[in-house]
Amino acid sequence: MEKWNQTSSDFILLGLLPPNQTGLLLLFLILILFFLALIGNSAMIYLIGVDARLHTPMYFLLSQLSLSDLMYISTTVPKMAINFLSGQKSISFLSCGIQSFFFLTMAGAEGLLLASMAYDRYVAICHPLHYPIRMSKMMCVKMIIGSWLLGSVNSLAHTVYALHIPYCRSRAIKHFFCDVPAMLPLACVDTWVYEYMVFVSTSLFLLFPFLGITASYGRVLFAVSRMRSKEGRKKAFTTCSTHLTVVTFYYAPFVYTYLRPKNLRSPSGDKILAVFYTILTPMLNPIIYSLRNKEVLGAMTRVLGMLSLMKK
C-alpha cells in the first residue's frame, strides 16, 4: 500500500486508469461519454421545460432524473480527468468530503426517483381513473422534494461519519473518487458499526425500492397482458421496458457492490462496477428515454422546428 505523509490531511486517489497511453485512450473515451451525458441530460431537461405536452408527472420526474445524472457524472469525472492529466492524485480533506456528499446525495435521490417513476407507471396503467388524484401535481412535487431531501440527509450522515473517524494509515484511496466504503480500510478504528449502517442504508435506498419497482412492474405487465387494444399494449410495453432497462443498469451494479460481504469485495472490481452507475448510466439514460419514447421524439422535432423558424 502506498504510503502518504501522515502530517498531511489530504487524501490520494489512486484512480481508475493506468498512467500510460492506454490510460490516455480510455480517458478520451470517458470524456466523450461525459460530454454526451452533459448534452443528453441538458437537452432532456430543456425539452421537458419548454414543451407543454411533456408537463406531466412522469416527465417532471424524468427531468429530475436527468438533473441527478447531470450532477452525478459531474461529481466524479472532472476530478478524475484533472488528476490523470496533471499527474497530481491528491484531493484535500474538505474536497473529498464535498465530493462524497454530492455523490451519495445523487445516488440516494436517483434510487428514490426511479421508484417514484415506477409508481407513476403503475397507477397510470393499473388504476387510470385514479391517476389524476394519486399522481396530482402536488403529489409529484412531494415525491421530488422527498427524494432530494432523503438523499441529502442520508448522504450528510455518511459524510459526517467519514470526516470524523481518525485516519492513521496510508491515505491512498483505492478508487477514482471519494467513496466512503473505500475510505474505511484507512481508518485506525473498528468500523463494523458503520459497515452495518451502509448495509441498512443500501437496503433502504436501493434494495427496497428495487423490490418495489419489480413488484410494480409485475402488476403492470399482468394488466398490460389483459389489454384488448394492441396499440395500448405496445405503448405500455415500450414505456415499461424503457424504464426497466434504466433500472437494471443503475440498481444491479450498485446493489451488487454495496451488499456484498466485505471479504468478497476487491478495489479493482468495485472501480469497474462504479463505472456503470457513475459514467455509463448517466450517459445512457437520456438516449434510452429519447430513442424509445415517441412523445420525447415528438417534442424534440417540435423544438428543432421552432428553432429553425427563429433562425429564418
Side-chain angles (χ1 to χ4, degrees):
M1 184 180 286
E2 182 175 350
K3 296 297 178 184
W4 188 246
N5 184 2
Q6 299 296 331
T7 62
S8 171
S9 61
D10 292 353
F11 288 102
I12 183 168
L13 296 171
L14 296 183
L16 173 68
L17 309 172
N20 52 33
Q21 292 296 320
T22 302
L24 188 61
L25 176 61
L26 291 173
L27 178 64
F28 178 70
L29 293 174
I30 288 173
L31 288 176
I32 290 176
L33 298 179
F34 173 69
F35 286 112
L36 285 175
L38 291 185
I39 295 169
N41 286 293
S42 299
M44 188 68 74
I45 295 170
Y46 177 75
L47 281 176
I48 294 170
V50 300
D51 195 298
R53 299 186 191 184
L54 299 183
H55 291 177
T56 63
M58 177 65 182
Y59 290 105
F60 281 134
L61 290 169
L62 179 56
S63 70
Q64 294 301 303
L65 184 70
S66 293
L67 177 61
S68 173
D69 283 334
L70 199 61
M71 297 174 68
Y72 212 161
I73 198 167
S74 300
T75 301
T76 56
V77 172
K79 179 60 178 175
M80 179 182 68
I82 291 170
N83 283 3
F84 182 87
L85 294 174
S86 66
Q88 300 294 323
K89 297 183 178 183
S90 63
I91 181 170
S92 70
F93 189 77
L94 179 60
S95 296
C96 192
I98 293 172
Q99 186 185 56
S100 177
F101 172 76
F102 278 103
F103 168 76
L104 291 171
T105 298
M106 298 310 115
E110 183 152 339
L112 295 175
L113 285 169
L114 286 170
S116 299
M117 291 170 71
Y119 177 75
D120 174 87
R121 291 301 83 198
Y122 163 72
V123 176
I125 295 172
C126 297
H127 302 282
L129 297 179
H130 297 163
Y131 186 81
I133 299 173
R134 292 195 186 184
M135 284 303 299
S136 63
K137 287 187 178 181
M138 182 57 66
M139 177 58 70
C140 184
V141 169
K142 288 179 180 179
M143 284 181 168
I144 291 171
I145 293 175
S147 296
W148 286 107
L149 185 61
L150 290 173
S152 299
V153 171
N154 175 67
S155 174
L156 185 63
H158 286 284
T159 304
V160 168
Y161 178 88
L163 295 181
H164 280 80
I165 59 176
Y167 295 98
C168 57
R169 302 175 186 174
S170 165
R171 289 190 177 254
I173 301 174
K174 294 182 179 180
H175 219 304
F176 59 92
F177 65 95
C178 290
D179 189 25
V180 176
M183 298 165 64
L184 295 183
L186 311 181
C188 52
V189 294
D190 191 354
T191 58
W192 74 268
V193 174
Y194 177 73
E195 289 166 15
Y196 179 75
M197 287 173 55
V198 170
F199 177 83
V200 172
S201 178
T202 304
S203 298
L204 290 175
F205 283 86
L206 294 174
L207 184 59
F208 291 160
F210 178 71
L211 294 176
I213 290 171
T214 304
S216 295
Y217 279 111
R219 292 287 302 275
V220 166
L221 292 175
F222 178 73
V224 167
S225 66
R226 300 175 66 183
M227 283 184 177
R228 295 182 179 180
S229 169
K230 186 177 180 181
E231 186 64 28
R233 284 201 307 270
K234 183 179 178 181
K235 183 178 179 181
F237 271 123
T238 300
T239 303
C240 294
S241 62
T242 298
H243 192 202
L244 282 173
T245 302
V246 172
V247 166
T248 302
F249 268 107
Y250 181 74
Y251 279 102
F254 227 135
V255 171
Y256 182 72
T257 297
Y258 286 88
L259 290 185
R260 272 185 303 166
K262 186 178 180 180
N263 59 333
L264 296 180
R265 297 178 61 178
S266 68
S268 58
D270 286 352
K271 285 191 287 187
I272 293 171
L273 287 171
V275 170
F276 281 90
Y277 53 80
T278 59
I279 299 173
L280 291 179
T281 299
M283 184 274 297
L284 288 172
N285 281 357
I287 296 174
I288 293 171
Y289 277 111
S290 61
L291 293 181
R292 302 193 64 183
N293 191 308
K294 290 183 180 180
E295 292 176 329
V296 173
L297 288 174
M300 195 180 301
T301 303
R302 289 190 293 273
V303 170
L304 290 176
M306 289 170 54
L307 292 176
S308 63
L309 289 174
M310 289 173 62
K311 288 182 179 179
K312 293 179 182 180

